[in-house]
Amino acid sequence: SVVATKTFWDKKKQKYTVEPFEYELIQLVAEDEADAVCQTFKWIHEQQPDYLSIVNVPFDMGKMARALERRNIDPADVFCDPRVPREYRKYRMIEGQSRIEDANGKGAAIPPHQRWHKVYVAASYFVIDQMCTRWGIRKHKPNEGSYSLEAVLRRVLGVGKLKGDGMTRSSGIDWHREMQRKHMVFYAVYNSFDNIGASWHDMYTRDLS
């Protein structure tokens, strides 16, 4: 277990409050990327959650499905509850519409946070995109700008994602590639905080819960 602190703006007291928060970090060793996905979903099915929250659903679900397919594993056998008979296991992802056209045939791109993705699986959970949920609940308000996890955490909680300052000068996808190859332990910590940060956001906003 790891004891950390979370800092939230207390609306009633009109000040920031710092509270201890205990996390149980589960560490597993995987043979490869497909095994990592299998072990993760084995744990998820054991928990029987009502929803599975992901920031940017098409990216993560797509990457996981392709990792399984490279090992000739049917994603439906992993994403679906193992108690479901094989003939009823299905996996299908439909990305939200990326473009819209008006009556004159002029088109405009729909930003990622305004697209509602659908994932069909025979499981206890409903897959929901936390980025799209944040926008959907507040679409009657002015646009917030970026809806990335980094931007939302800084805007709402005043903290950003872990970046490992000074470890590399790379940015974008190159940063991720270099961190995966040269700083694997830190990259695992970085990834863990992505999940912690997303849960902090929901503790504060209650968007999902």
Side-chain angles (χ1 to χ4, degrees):
S1 296
V2 176
V3 177
T5 59
K6 62 178 186 291
T7 305
F8 291 143
W9 176 254
D10 190 317
K11 295 179 180 178
K12 293 182 178 179
K13 297 181 181 179
Q14 287 296 296
K15 67 176 184 178
Y16 283 102
T17 60
V18 180
E19 303 173 12
F21 193 91
E22 185 172 345
Y23 291 92
E24 182 182 0
L25 301 180
I26 301 171
Q27 296 176 322
L28 302 172
V29 178
E31 293 181 5
D32 55 23
E33 57 183 0
D35 185 44
V37 177
C38 291
Q39 291 197 50
T40 297
F41 277 85
K42 179 178 181 294
W43 183 86
I44 290 172
H45 292 311
E46 290 171 354
Q47 307 310 307
Q48 291 288 285
D50 293 325
Y51 60 83
L52 176 61
S53 171
I54 298 175
V55 177
N56 194 359
V57 163
F59 182 85
D60 284 4
M61 292 299 293
K63 288 287 186 182
M64 290 188 290
R66 285 190 289 275
L68 294 170
E69 290 165 351
R70 280 193 285 269
R71 277 269 309 273
N72 295 316
I73 300 172
D74 186 345
D77 289 337
V78 177
F79 298 152
C80 292
D81 192 305
R83 296 172 299 178
V84 175
R86 188 174 297 276
E87 62 266 29
Y88 297 116
R89 295 177 191 174
K90 304 290 181 184
Y91 162 66
R92 184 183 177 202
M93 180 176 67
I94 300 176
E95 292 191 38
Q97 188 177 351
S98 61
R99 193 170 179 79
I100 189 170
E101 293 187 356
D102 60 21
N104 298 318
K106 294 183 178 180
I110 300 176
H113 60 270
Q114 294 183 19
R115 301 169 62 191
W116 194 256
H117 314 291
K118 301 181 182 70
V119 177
Y120 296 96
V121 287
S124 69
Y125 59 81
F126 172 84
V127 178
I128 188 167
D129 195 312
Q130 193 166 352
M131 175 172 61
C132 299
T133 304
R134 177 171 179 84
W135 175 81
I137 291 174
R138 298 167 181 80
K139 62 183 178 181
H140 60 290
K141 296 183 178 181
N143 194 294
E144 295 182 285
S146 175
Y147 284 80
S148 69
L149 181 59
E150 165 77 11
V152 168
L153 287 178
R154 288 198 177 279
R155 190 162 56 242
V156 177
L157 302 178
V159 298
K161 298 169 68 170
L162 301 181
K163 282 294 184 182
D165 294 341
M167 288 179 132
T168 174
R169 294 183 179 179
S170 302
S171 60
I173 190 64
D174 290 334
W175 182 88
H176 290 276
R177 288 170 175 160
E178 185 172 348
M179 296 305 284
Q180 289 174 25
R181 292 168 182 159
K182 298 181 179 179
H183 305 284
M184 290 180 283
V185 173
F186 175 81
Y187 196 71
V189 176
Y190 160 88
N191 191 278
S192 295
F193 186 75
D194 272 13
N195 293 282
I196 292 171
S199 68
W200 279 2
H201 174 268
D202 197 60
M203 289 175 191
Y204 180 78
T205 63
R206 301 293 183 186
D207 283 358
L208 300 174
S209 59

